[in-house]
Every structure is written in C-alpha cells, then in structure tokens.
Amino acid sequence: MNLSDEAMTIKLDYELPEYPKMESCYRRAPRRESKLSEADKALAIRNALRYIHPDHHAKMALEFAQELEEHGRIYGYRFRPEGKLTGKPIDEYKGKCIEGRAIQVMIDNNLDFDVALYPYELVTYGETGQVCQNWMQYRLIKKYLEELTDEQTLVVMSGHPLGLFHSHKLAPRVIISNGLMVGAFDDQENFNRAAALGVANYGQMTAGGWMYIGPQGIVHGTFNTLLNAGRLKLGIPQDGNLAGKLFISSGLGGMSGAQGKAAVIVGVASIIAEVDESRIDTRYEQGWVSHRTESLDEALEIALEHQKAGKGCAVAYHGNIVDLLEYLLEKNVHVDLMSDQTSCHVPYGGGYCPQGLTFEQRTEMLDRDPEDFRKLVDKSLQHHYELIQKFHDRGTYFFDYGNSFLKAVYDTGVKSICKNGENDLDGFVFPSYVEDILGPCLFDYGYGPFRWCCLSRDPADLDKTDAAAAEYIKEHNRRYQDYDNYVWVRDAKENKLVVGTQCRILYQDAMGRMNLALKFNEMVRNGEIGPVILGRDHHDTGGTDAPFRETSNIKDGSNIMAEMATQCYAGNAARGMSYIALHNGGGTGIGRAINGGFGMVLDGSERVDNILKMSMPWDTMVGVARRSWARNENAMTTAAEYNKMNVGRDHITMPYLADDEIIEQAVKSMKK
Ligand SMILES: NC(=O)c1ccc[n+]([C@@H]2O[C@H](COP(=O)([O-])OP(=O)(O)OC[C@H]3O[C@@H](n4cnc5c(N)ncnc54)[C@H](O)[C@@H]3O)[C@@H](O)[C@H]2O)c1
C-alpha cells in the first residue's frame, strides 16, 4: 500500500477521467516561455505526478511531457471537466459550510467560457491571469471546498491546495497566495521557470483571487477614468459628459474589452484597435462595441460622424494600434484622449503584437522564434511611443492605463521616457491614469471597486441590491463621485453589464462599502434575497502596492514598498473575511506589484454583521491612511474626517506638512 494514498482521505479519484473533448471555437493560450534543462523537465513532470495515483504514472508522465513540450506548461487537460463550466446557483454545490459552496461558484464563474480569456488553460483575463495552475488543482480544491467546515481554513499556495487546517468560526475559510517569490529571485525569468515547474501561479488580481466578474468590473473604472480625465484635462463640467470628443486606444480582451462599453456610456466617440478578430467578435456580439471594420477609412468616418453628432460610439478596428496611430497622424486628426490596453505586463509572452505581424503570425512566431519576436516587439513599442509623443505635441492627453506600456517602452532601452531621464524611480513623462486621475479623484478618498455577486444567480436579486444601493447613494450624495456612482448603478441594468453570474461593481468609499454590506446582509436575513458574496478588485485604495499603477501617486518614496497590500491582507485575515488572497505581479507584471483582495459571504447572520463592521472600513482605510501619510491632500482630508467620526475606536496617524523654504534651507546647510 502506498504511504500517501493510505494517509489521504481527500484526493483525486483513483480512476483517471476520460480525456475531455476540446471545442475548437474557444481561444487557446499561446505556448508559454520555458527554458528548462533536462533536469528541470524531469522535475516538472515529477511535480505534476504528485497529484496522480502511481498506478497511472507511466501513462500520465507521457501525457504531461507532451503538454510541457507543446504548451510550455503542464495544464493536466485530462482533468478538466467535460463541457461548459459556469457559476451555478449556490444550492447546486455540495459543501459543509456556506463559504465552501460560495467559493466554488466564484471559481466556476472565473472559468466560464463566456468569462474566461483562455478557459482551457485556466486563464481568466490579462493574458496570463490564472485561477490555478492546472486542472488537477482545480479538482482537488473543489474536493477540499466540499469538505471544508466552518472551523477549518484551506491553504492555497499558487493554486496548490496545501491542506485543511483547524481554525475557528471567525477565521478566513480560505487563504490564497499566488506567485510570491523571494526578493533575489523575484523576476520574470525565475517566475517562468517556477511556473513551468508547476510551483508558481500568476494570479493577476481577481483571477487567482477568484473574484473576477467579467469586464463589467473594469467598465466602471474606465467610466470613472474617462469622465474624470475629461473634467481634469478637457474642461468638461462636473455634470457633463464627453460628447464631441475623440478617444483612441487598443485592446478588446478580458479587461480592455471594457473600453468600448465605457466610451459609449460617457458619450465619447472612440476607435479601439484589436489584432485578434475573435475578441472583436465577442465584444460585438455582446453589444460592447457598436461597429467593427478592417478599414481605417471606415473606422475614422464612423467615429467622426458620431463625434460631430455628439454621440458616443465604439468602433473596433481590426488591426494594429500602431497602424491606426500612423493613419490618424497622417490624416491630421485631433485626438482628445489616448491610451493603450495591450497586455504590456507580458509584452514578450504574447501580450503585445508588434506592428507588421497579424495575430496569427504573432502566435506562430512566438512559438518558433521567441528571440526575433522580442526584437520586433521592441521596435514596435519604440515606434508606438514616438507616435504618441507626436500626438501629445498636438494637444492629445495620453495616459498609461495600468498595463505597463510606458515601463515596457523603458525596458526596450528608451531612458528618455523617464521623468528623471535616468531610471523609472520617479515615474515616466506621461502619467499613469492613477497618478493623474484615479488616485487623487477616487483612491485618496477611499472610493474603489467594491462589488458583489448574487449567489442564487437570480437576476431579481441583483435588481433588488441595485435598487438598495441607488437609494443609499441618493441619501448620502456628498460629492461628484457619489453622483457618478449613483448614475452608474441607476443605469447599470439598462447597460446590460452582466456576463456570467449576477454581479455588480460599484465604486464606494469606506463607509459606503460598510453600509451597503450591512444592508445586503440584512436583506439576506429578511429573506428578500439569497446569499451574496462581496469582494473588490485588488486595484484599489489599499489593496495594491504598484509604483507604476495603484501607488503611482504616492510621492514620499514609499511607492516601492509593498507593506500596505500586505497589511491590508493580514488585517482582513485578522478580522475574518471569508477568504483572502495576496499576489505578486497583478496588472503590471512580476516583481512590479504586490496585490491582495477578499471575498466575504453574506449569510444574513449577526456573525457576518460583526465581521463587516470590523473589516470593511479597515480594508479601505488602510489605503487612505497610507496615502494621507504620503501627504496626499484629499487623503488627508478624508483621514481627518475619519478620525473625528471614530473617536475612541480607530485613529490614523497624520503628517505635519513642512514648509518648502525650511526644507530648502536645511538641504543647503548640508555639507555633502
Ligand atoms: N486599467 C486597469 O484597471 C486594468 C485592469 C486590468 C488589467 N489591466 C491591464 O491592461 C492590459 C490588458 O488587460 P486584458 O485583460 O484586456 O488583457 P488581454 O490580453 O485579454 O487583452 C489585450 C488585447 O490587446 C490586443 N493587442 C495586443 N497587441 C496589440 C496591438 N499591437 N494592437 C492592437 N491590439 C493588440 C490583444 O489581442 C488582446 O486582445 C493588461 O496589461 C492588464 O494588466 C489594466
């Protein structure tokens, strides 16, 4: 008898599942980079076999070897359940506690054909963001969640369920970490090797945190970003929209697919370049882009017509963004707002398609000749940047949309893109959208991407929560952000934002999040709605340390520290969130961010009320407190208000501000 087999009661079934049929209509991930030695290849196969009963090792070793060779990773395709995965109503899941069942809903929603970018490779969004590394882990996690009791915690390390451990009723039911690496090895190359060996998962943000809700999550963020960019840079009044303006960007993928929808909601005429036709088809069928064309002339004509009529539109141009920019420049078109949402956090791994290659040629070359592919990417990125500079000189406002575009250009060797002309420590010549817009206008106040999913999958539950949220915001309308959020949730249903489970995103500040959470829990208690799970994007006030994105408007030198996200995560564990996650990488790439998030199941109980009162303000105010300490004006005002409201309960340390002249004199007095 085998020692491990005898010792485990929770394990994969003895019989190997039938190899599932793979539908050819779904997108497949490109081969992932893996430079493995012979010894490494052996290690990767040996590692994957840890999930498998030895009776099947001879067969599965060959199957895994083939996957590693073809895909650069071992996904264990055989273990993928046949057919469509989807977040079913919670009652259809087995489990010994509500959290165990709720979390299964979220995992399956992240892998739904309608939601996931590469569903067979467990990639939810962001080119490489995976739920877990392979299908053996998926099956095993589900088995653990079925067994999990409300006095145990499941530990998940880079997708691997390490085991169930005794805890208590107020502890998180699941604690997740993804891709966290020891500093000296914290780079893309070591990550690629570790991922190929099957010991590291790229969780992106909500992919590995099992809280992705389709591109709706980012539609709201993009809506806020475009609207506030218009207010700050184009003189749009507080209650106006972007009618009559032109917006140009790229990417209609997992997150970037939100751009068209948000553009129409804010009334701007837009053209979005996308090299992959299948992604254009998805967005078009969904109604998230209004037009599609392969012709540059036609794309421009449609956009200009709408611009002139003051109407929003989203024209998907099937082609490369660099070609589009060259064309617009040549035609002397004035562009008001410009951005980019190619997956530049992994430019050499397939995230950025260089000018001159079709999408299919990019996939083929990536596999055949990664070194030359790299050179093409570098050349294209540099030219792309030159074009943006020309538009900037003509009055276009360009912002980096958190995809590491500027960093990717810098990495090709363009030092002049740095603010200090030397290195990336002070950021880049063009701002990140967080630096100029989202940071000061939203994050510094605590406004961030709060979200919820109705676990019954009943649209009527979502309608009731939308109505409750709209009513709450109407009563607490203090600033323009509240008004924007009110409009958003009021019109959310009409805007048909739901893909997969019945979820909603709604930017809220600390008190808004807590009060809405308590209201929803009360509605569950009263039987008005079924259970709900709350969460948020990691891309938030306090959830992420990322100097090129979330913390790019932190100017006290601490933008390179990762302590806020870590404290946020630890604090959420201490206060009993249902599950918590901490990741390396996120939207900007390995070694460039530490980010975390949570899921909180509302079952209507008083226990949940108590957790919400402790954890919801903490989750946000840790970010406001840190931003305030960095001397961010709006965060200081928010922290001061919070201290007044919470005497004897919470207390934030605030900075004294020093006079410039005093500092100047002090520096002059120094000898060296
Ligand atoms: N701003 C945010 O809040 C935010 C949130 C999440 C992700 N991101 C970042 O945005 C990027 C995009 O995310 P995603 O989930 O949409 O990724 P994705 O990979 O699903 O989509 C990117 C799309 O860009 C297309 N593309 C690549 N090169 C192109 C080119 N040269 N011209 C035209 N199209 C091209 C790809 O075909 C793909 O469809 C990522 O880097 C991600 O980390 C930003």
Side-chain angles (χ1 to χ4, degrees):
M1 193 62 179
N2 180 287
L3 170 74
S4 303
D5 193 52
E6 202 175 349
M8 291 191 293
T9 53
I10 305 171
K11 54 193 168 187
L12 296 185
D13 295 345
Y14 172 78
E15 292 298 338
L16 288 180
E18 283 296 307
Y19 204 94
K21 193 168 154 243
M22 310 281 233
E23 306 277 351
S24 59
C25 56
Y26 295 109
R27 279 183 290 270
R28 302 299 298 269
R31 187 183 189 282
R32 300 300 187 197
E33 193 173 318
S34 58
K35 292 180 193 144
L36 298 185
S37 64
E38 290 300 300
D40 281 347
K41 288 178 191 167
L43 186 57
I45 295 164
R46 194 184 298 283
N47 283 347
L49 289 174
R50 286 184 285 193
Y51 293 104
I52 313 290
H53 192 284
D55 289 356
H56 306 300
H57 278 186
K59 178 182 172 98
M60 290 312 300
L62 292 175
E63 215 165 287
F64 289 154
Q66 196 185 349
E67 285 187 13
L68 189 59
E69 185 157 33
E70 269 178 35
H71 303 280
R73 299 285 181 273
I74 296 174
Y75 294 112
Y77 290 118
R78 172 181 291 278
F79 292 87
R80 186 190 185 280
E82 180 89 50
K84 181 178 165 75
L85 291 175
T86 193
K88 293 175 289 196
I90 185 167
D91 291 343
E92 294 181 26
Y93 288 90
K94 284 194 270 180
K96 295 181 177 166
C97 64
I98 186 168
E99 290 84 1
R101 292 184 290 126
I103 295 169
Q104 293 181 64
V105 177
M106 300 312 288
I107 291 177
D108 282 349
N109 188 48
N110 272 34
L111 291 168
D112 190 321
F113 284 141
D114 295 338
V115 173
L117 174 63
Y118 302 129
Y120 289 121
E121 284 78 27
L122 303 109
V123 174
T124 303
Y125 75 99
E127 183 58 35
T128 50
Q130 290 185 213
V131 167
C132 53
Q133 295 177 71
N134 58 55
W135 291 102
M136 291 81 80
Q137 292 177 344
Y138 166 86
R139 283 199 184 227
L140 199 50
I141 289 170
K142 295 205 83 170
K143 282 190 184 283
Y144 272 112
L145 290 172
E146 286 174 2
E147 291 301 321
L148 176 79
T149 71
D150 64 1
E151 295 198 336
Q152 289 174 313
T153 296
L154 172 64
V155 177
V156 180
M157 291 183 359
S158 272
H160 168 65
L162 192 75
L164 275 187
F165 296 88
H166 183 64
S167 57
H168 56 87
K169 288 189 196 310
L170 289 182
R173 298 278 71 86
V174 182
I175 299 189
I176 303 167
S177 57
N178 273 306
L180 298 178
M181 301 173 81
V182 173
F185 302 91
D186 193 358
D187 55 42
Q188 192 67 50
E189 201 177 322
N190 276 299
F191 177 84
N192 287 348
R193 176 172 174 268
L197 292 178
V199 296
N201 186 44
Y202 197 75
Q204 250 276 3
M205 297 190 142
T206 50
W210 309 338
M211 194 36 81
Y212 184 72
I213 58 167
Q216 173 186 178
I218 201 188
V219 179
H220 193 15
T222 313
F223 160 88
N224 276 321
T225 304
L226 291 174
L227 207 54
N228 286 306
R231 285 173 182 149
L232 290 172
K233 306 290 172 186
L234 309 176
I236 304 296
Q238 295 289 347
D239 57 353
N241 73 359
L242 290 173
K245 306 290 179 195
L246 182 63
F247 169 57
I248 302 295
S249 190
S250 60
L252 287 169
M255 290 273 124
S256 48
Q259 295 180 103
K261 184 77 184 172
V264 172
I265 300 176
V266 298
V268 74
S270 66
I271 309 177
I272 298 155
E274 168 59 65
V275 284
D276 179 359
E277 194 169 14
S278 78
R279 296 183 212 215
I280 294 180
D281 292 345
T282 306
R283 298 294 169 218
Y284 188 75
E285 280 153 23
Q286 233 175 16
W288 285 32
V289 295
S290 49
H291 306 76
R292 57 178 166 185
T293 176
E294 302 219 332
S295 147
L296 286 163
D297 286 336
E298 196 187 353
L300 182 60
E301 195 183 303
I302 302 169
L304 291 182
E305 248 171 46
H306 282 77
Q307 185 185 8
K308 209 167 153 204
K311 283 192 193 150
C313 72
V315 185
Y317 161 63
H318 180 209
N320 200 297
I321 178 68
V322 184
D323 293 335
L324 174 63
L325 296 190
E326 272 178 356
Y327 173 84
L328 295 174
L329 203 66
E330 191 194 300
K331 296 271 169 194
N332 251 320
V333 177
H334 176 72
V335 178
D336 297 286
L337 298 176
M338 183 178 288
S339 194
D340 181 83
Q341 255 201 87
T342 56
S343 274
C344 273
H345 68 282
V346 278
Y348 307 116
Y352 183 86
C353 181
Q355 187 183 27
L357 292 188
T358 63
F359 181 68
E360 294 69 26
Q361 288 166 338
R362 149 275 194 198
T363 309
E364 193 265 328
M365 189 169 179
L366 201 55
D367 187 18
R368 178 178 45 80
D369 193 354
E371 282 314 311
D372 276 356
F373 181 76
R374 221 167 229 273
K375 287 182 197 146
L376 282 187
V377 168
D378 284 356
K379 194 170 156 223
S380 183
L381 278 169
Q382 288 176 4
H383 182 44
H384 191 160
Y385 173 56
E386 280 163 16
L387 293 167
I388 292 170
Q389 281 176 307
K390 288 187 179 147
F391 277 103
H392 170 78
D393 293 345
R394 295 178 179 187
T396 300
Y397 175 66
F398 174 84
F399 56 97
D400 180 296
Y401 208 157
N403 61 339
S404 275
F405 172 76
L406 298 173
K407 170 77 173 140
V409 174
Y410 169 65
D411 288 344
T412 70
V414 182
K415 275 195 178 177
S416 58
I417 199 170
C418 300
K419 230 181 228 168
N420 62 18
E422 279 293 319
N423 57 42
D424 51 9
L425 283 178
D426 298 325
F428 300 108
V429 291
F430 295 126
S432 132
Y433 69 119
V434 177
E435 198 171 356
D436 260 22
I437 309 164
L438 226 55
C441 298
L442 295 164
F443 289 168
D444 287 354
Y445 290 95
Y447 289 99
F450 173 66
R451 59 184 54 180
W452 65 93
C453 297
C454 297
L455 293 165
S456 62
R457 210 181 164 128
D458 182 353
D461 280 6
L462 187 60
D463 291 349
K464 288 180 203 160
T465 51
D466 279 350
E471 195 183 311
Y472 170 81
I473 305 177
K474 215 170 171 187
E475 278 169 20
H476 296 83
N477 190 358
R478 297 151 300 165
R479 345 178 148 97
Y480 67 90
Q481 294 96 330
D482 295 312
Y483 180 71
D484 292 347
N485 294 332
Y486 169 71
V487 171
W488 168 263
V489 75
R490 182 196 64 195
D491 300 344
K493 185 176 177 153
E494 199 182 307
N495 282 322
K496 297 196 181 75
L497 297 158
V498 173
V499 181
T501 46
Q502 295 290 314
C503 303
R504 182 68 69 226
I505 179 162
L506 175 61
Y507 268 61
Q508 282 296 286
D509 66 356
M511 288 304 109
R513 299 185 207 205
M514 183 185 75
N515 290 328
L516 281 181
L518 288 168
K519 175 72 191 163
F520 294 165
N521 198 38
E522 184 190 311
M523 290 165 77
V524 176
R525 185 157 51 237
N526 296 341
E528 292 169 58
I529 53 173
V532 167
I533 188 165
L534 305 178
R536 59 164 171 76
D537 195 346
H538 300 194
H539 170 56
D540 196 3
T541 299
T544 295
D545 285 297
F548 306 117
R549 206 163 94 175
E550 284 78 356
T551 40
S552 57
N553 74 324
I554 301 267
K555 305 285 185 187
D556 67 350
S558 72
N559 56 341
I560 58 166
M561 306 301 286
E563 288 172 307
M564 175 179 71
T566 314
Q567 287 283 353
C568 182
Y569 167 82
N572 283 341
R575 289 166 182 81
M577 292 288 202
S578 308
Y579 76 91
I580 50 166
L582 191 68
H583 303 173
N584 181 3
T588 46
I590 281 293
R592 297 174 189 167
I594 294 291
N595 61 93
F598 72 86
M600 180 67 215
V601 180
L602 308 185
D603 61 2
S605 66
E606 205 178 303
R607 172 189 66 91
V608 165
D609 275 350
N610 290 333
I611 295 175
L612 294 175
K613 284 179 201 159
M614 292 184 288
S615 59
M616 296 303 287
W618 156 257
D619 181 62
T620 306
M621 291 312 294
V622 59
V624 174
R626 190 267 181 106
R627 287 163 189 278
S628 157
W629 187 241
R631 294 179 285 264
N632 291 9
E633 198 184 331
N634 296 336
M636 284 181 67
T637 322
T638 310
E641 269 172 27
Y642 190 77
N643 273 359
K644 267 195 211 142
M645 273 166 51
N646 287 282
V647 176
R649 187 188 145 89
D650 291 359
H651 189 271
I652 295 171
T653 313
M654 293 190 57
Y656 293 109
L657 301 182
D659 200 85
D660 288 351
E661 217 174 294
I662 294 178
I663 303 288
E664 224 173 278
Q665 292 299 331
V667 173
K668 272 193 198 151
S669 76
M670 294 165 82
K671 298 210 165 54
K672 289 190 211 164

